[in-house]
Amino acid sequence: MVGIVKSFALDGLKGFPVEVEVDLNSGLPKYDLVGLPDKAIKESKERVQSAIKNSAFMFPIKKITINLAPANIQKEGAGFDLAIAISILVSSGQIKSRRYKDFVILGELSLDGKLRSITGLLPMIISAKEMGQTKFIIPRINEKEASFVSGITAYAFDSLIDVVDFLNEESECEPIAIQTWKPADVDASEDFSRVRGQYQAKRAMEIAVAGGHNILMVGPPGSGKTMLAKCVPGILPDLTFEEALEITKIHSVSGVLDLNQGVVTKRPFRTPHHTSTVIALTGGGAKANPGEISLAHNGVLFLDELPEYPRHSLETLRQPLEDGVVTIARAQRTVTYPANFILVASMNPCPCGNYGSKEAVCTCTPSAVSKYLGKLSGPLLDRIDIKIDVGRVKFIDLTQETNEEPSSAVKERVNKARKIQLERFKGEGVFCNAKMSSKQIKKYCVLDDECKQILESAFEKFKMSARGYTRILKVARTIADLEGAPNIKPEHIAEAIGLRTIEKITL
Ligand SMILES: Nc1ncnc2c1ncn2[C@@H]1O[C@H](COP(=O)(O)OP(=O)(O)OP(=O)(O)O)[C@@H](O)[C@H]1O
Ligand SMILES: [Mg+2]
């Protein structure tokens, strides 16, 4: 008898069904695995054999042929272990009931027969559900991840023995209870109330987050750039369940998901170091894993000391910054991951940090300054909607007792502005102003004559690109939304222009 067990595999974030077929034949004992398995699947032999024996079942001494169908797609990971073991036990008559036919079976086995967690469970379950599969057998450790998906029946187990007892109808158990998801409270490491002065920078940060705009802070050492960036998690808009699921799929595939939590409850704030490789940043490698820019999806990617990052790493950000997705080429196919993040970056204007300052003297040679700034290409800077100067904090601001506004108050305004945007773009597949298409810009950023005049003179003065022009319109739309204004007014355009023109780094 050929035991055919349903399982699932992943291609990027999309799942596809895999049938595990086992055929037992008399002949010299052998274990053949076909159907484009990777090394981890090939090694399943040792795990499955030990797990079956250590669970007091019989491992057939026969010619065993295992096929993972469809045979023409590469399959990865140890998530087929359980399906292979069940298929062998069905083929050898140790599982007699037909119950196994109802389930998609997922799980890795340890040598003693315990079930281990697998990566990518959530995207597999969601894809399977879309294809009409609603019943699952999964490892207990992954239980939380499945518990937020409605419309499915999933059973979680600790060991192979428990799964076999259940499939043989010798024991019954309750399916995982569906839970309701709730975003977590914010726990930012810094709060706006602790940042003295820097009112323009704080305002710029609020606008950036409200409209999903990229922001670059330029200033001398110790002016509070890193501190301001650390405040960002505290003012990010509330996370929705749909967004949380998108983030969780990526985190699940790359194995960074907190399994005790199941589904992500906070917007990501990723801070890759400047020594990170291009693959770590954008994704790739043998398994085409998502990189930092995808792990930052629906959240923030913070690049501190921007010119320290290798130029070619920064250049690879250009496509994702424009399209909100990253495409990774593999040997035979390409994988696309979402990478829709707010880029928050900081830098000094030169190696000593004082270039362009009215108060301090820059000790760098002109060539050192141009080499430093040369790491940032024009096209990259063009994709950053907001570029601000974060100057030295004034003594009076540092010493004066003031009541600085806390992040919670800023967040409230951000949430209001985001609500307006969600309402505006309902059904259009866009969630914030920064992602408007040119058609949407035409529709939602209508300018009167005075606005047009201001924009025209800035366009000529700063030699703006067409992209720069549209980005100003988007930022102006966000400023109007923060005010609750239905139309963009001249003061909104003027403020948006002021947030984009740091001549010393754009020239
Ligand atoms: N505006 C400010 N209000 C209160 N404290 C500040 C402010 N700016 C800086 N500080 C203090 O100075 C420390 C250093 O600031 P921060 O690291 O943010 O500077 P930076 O601009 O990132 O400098 P660098 O360019 O060297 O990275 C902060 O941890 C904080 O204690
Ligand atoms: Mg810093």
Side-chain angles (χ1 to χ4, degrees):
M1 174 182 168
V2 178
I4 300 177
V5 172
K6 286 184 282 189
S7 194
F8 247 75
L10 278 180
D11 179 20
L13 292 184
K14 265 190 82 67
F16 61 94
V18 171
E19 283 189 345
V20 180
E21 306 172 310
V22 169
D23 185 37
L24 302 180
N25 266 311
S26 46
L28 281 180
K30 209 172 161 213
Y31 187 97
D32 274 330
L33 224 165
V34 295
L36 286 187
D38 74 347
K39 197 151 181 271
I41 305 177
K42 280 188 187 143
E43 287 171 357
S44 68
K45 179 193 172 188
E46 316 304 331
R47 291 188 301 272
V48 169
Q49 187 172 7
S50 298
I52 287 182
K53 283 182 179 166
N54 290 329
S55 305
F57 297 113
M58 192 267 300
F59 188 80
I61 309 172
K62 290 197 167 179
K63 184 172 178 290
I64 305 174
T65 310
I66 299 163
N67 180 32
L68 305 179
N72 59 340
I73 307 177
Q74 176 83 35
K75 297 154 203 88
E76 288 158 357
F80 297 112
D81 285 3
L82 182 61
I84 292 174
I86 296 299
S87 193
I88 290 175
L89 294 174
V90 170
S91 305
S92 58
Q94 296 175 81
I95 292 178
K96 294 192 175 64
S97 158
R98 316 283 284 172
R99 188 183 253 185
Y100 74 91
K101 286 187 173 288
D102 297 341
F103 293 93
V104 170
I105 298 181
L106 303 162
E108 180 183 333
L109 283 169
S110 66
L111 298 183
D112 62 357
K114 292 263 183 319
L115 281 183
R116 286 180 188 272
S117 66
I118 55 167
T119 54
L121 183 86
L122 187 79
M124 281 195 265
I125 287 191
I126 291 178
S127 300
K129 186 184 147 189
E130 283 165 7
M131 294 177 198
Q133 300 285 353
T134 55
K135 293 175 96 176
F136 299 88
I137 285 178
I138 60 168
R140 171 100 51 213
I141 313 172
N142 288 107
E143 180 176 28
K144 274 261 171 152
E145 210 175 323
S147 67
F148 294 95
V149 185
S150 60
I152 63 160
T153 315
Y155 293 85
F157 296 96
D158 295 304
S159 66
L160 178 62
I161 295 185
D162 294 347
V163 178
V164 175
D165 282 351
F166 175 72
L167 292 180
N168 265 333
E169 298 179 47
E170 283 164 9
S171 71
E172 291 302 326
C173 63
E174 287 295 313
I176 299 169
I178 301 296
Q179 301 191 30
T180 35
W181 176 87
K182 217 172 80 227
D185 292 333
V186 179
D187 58 347
S189 57
E190 281 291 357
D191 195 283
F192 269 168
S193 60
R194 284 196 287 271
V195 181
R196 300 300 186 124
Q198 303 298 23
Y199 298 109
Q200 199 223 359
K202 287 192 206 173
R203 165 82 177 154
M205 210 59 113
E206 176 177 336
I207 295 167
V209 171
H213 306 286
N214 302 318
I215 180 169
L216 170 65
M217 295 175 280
V218 186
S223 54
K225 301 182 294 297
T226 304
M227 194 179 184
L228 280 159
K230 285 183 178 164
C231 293
V232 170
I235 62 166
L236 288 173
D238 290 335
L239 185 63
T240 64
F241 182 55
E242 283 69 30
E243 288 174 311
L245 280 183
E246 285 180 11
I247 304 168
T248 307
K249 279 186 191 177
I250 302 167
H251 287 214
S252 174
V253 167
S254 52
V256 300
L257 185 69
D258 178 356
L259 293 178
N260 292 321
Q261 220 167 38
V263 169
V264 169
T265 52
K266 277 184 268 182
R267 289 185 188 273
F269 184 78
R270 306 292 301 187
T271 56
H273 193 254
H274 56 74
T275 54
S276 305
T277 60
V278 176
I279 286 179
L281 208 58
T282 54
K287 290 193 171 178
N289 275 329
E292 286 290 335
I293 59 169
S294 295
L295 294 172
H297 180 61
N298 286 338
V300 172
L301 182 75
F302 174 40
L303 302 183
D304 209 358
E305 316 292 352
L306 195 61
E308 299 293 334
Y309 290 80
R311 186 177 168 132
H312 71 286
S313 291
L314 295 178
E315 290 305 293
T316 54
L317 297 181
R318 281 165 55 174
Q319 183 226 350
L321 280 174
E322 199 72 12
D323 306 334
V325 295
V326 59
T327 305
I328 301 165
R330 304 193 60 190
Q332 288 146 0
R333 62 208 159 98
T334 53
V335 182
T336 301
Y337 290 116
N340 209 342
F341 54 88
I342 300 177
L343 174 68
V344 176
S346 88
M347 64 183 277
N348 300 126
C350 67
C352 88
N354 292 324
Y355 180 70
S357 165
K358 292 189 190 82
E359 295 123 350
V361 181
C362 173
T363 56
C364 307
T365 61
S367 70
V369 176
S370 62
K371 191 174 165 210
Y372 189 72
L373 298 180
K375 287 204 179 169
L376 309 177
S377 71
L380 177 72
L381 289 170
D382 213 23
R383 284 165 168 78
I384 301 178
D385 306 359
I386 301 178
K387 290 168 231 161
I388 48 155
D389 232 328
V390 181
R392 278 179 65 225
V393 195
K394 295 191 185 74
F395 183 73
I396 186 150
D397 283 334
L398 275 179
T399 47
Q400 210 175 33
E401 261 320 303
T402 50
N403 250 347
E404 300 289 344
E405 195 179 33
S407 293
S408 53
V410 180
K411 185 182 163 129
E412 234 170 76
R413 290 197 295 271
V414 167
N415 269 335
K416 263 193 204 156
R418 274 286 172 117
K419 236 189 206 154
I420 295 174
Q421 294 168 60
L422 284 177
E423 201 56 43
R424 171 183 304 137
F425 302 123
K426 218 174 198 172
E428 297 185 28
V430 167
F431 305 102
C432 58
N433 291 332
K435 301 294 170 211
M436 274 192 275
S437 65
S438 44
K439 207 169 137 197
Q440 285 165 325
I441 292 176
K442 211 167 167 200
K443 186 169 167 196
Y444 298 120
C445 302
V446 180
L447 301 182
D448 61 19
D449 287 344
E450 199 182 336
C451 289
K452 277 184 194 154
Q453 239 169 33
I454 298 172
L455 201 48
E456 190 183 346
S457 55
F459 190 79
E460 296 306 331
K461 187 175 168 200
F462 298 112
K463 309 268 178 296
M464 276 179 203
S465 68
R467 186 191 287 117
Y469 166 81
T470 57
R471 294 208 166 216
I472 284 181
L473 290 181
K474 292 176 185 179
V475 174
R477 183 64 265 170
T478 302
I479 296 171
D481 288 342
L482 276 166
E483 205 183 276
N487 295 319
I488 296 175
K489 294 187 209 153
E491 60 262 36
H492 304 145
I493 287 282
E495 190 175 359
I497 293 169
L499 290 173
R500 202 187 153 80
T501 48
I502 294 182
E503 286 163 74
K504 61 180 178 243
I505 62 158
T506 47
L507 290 180

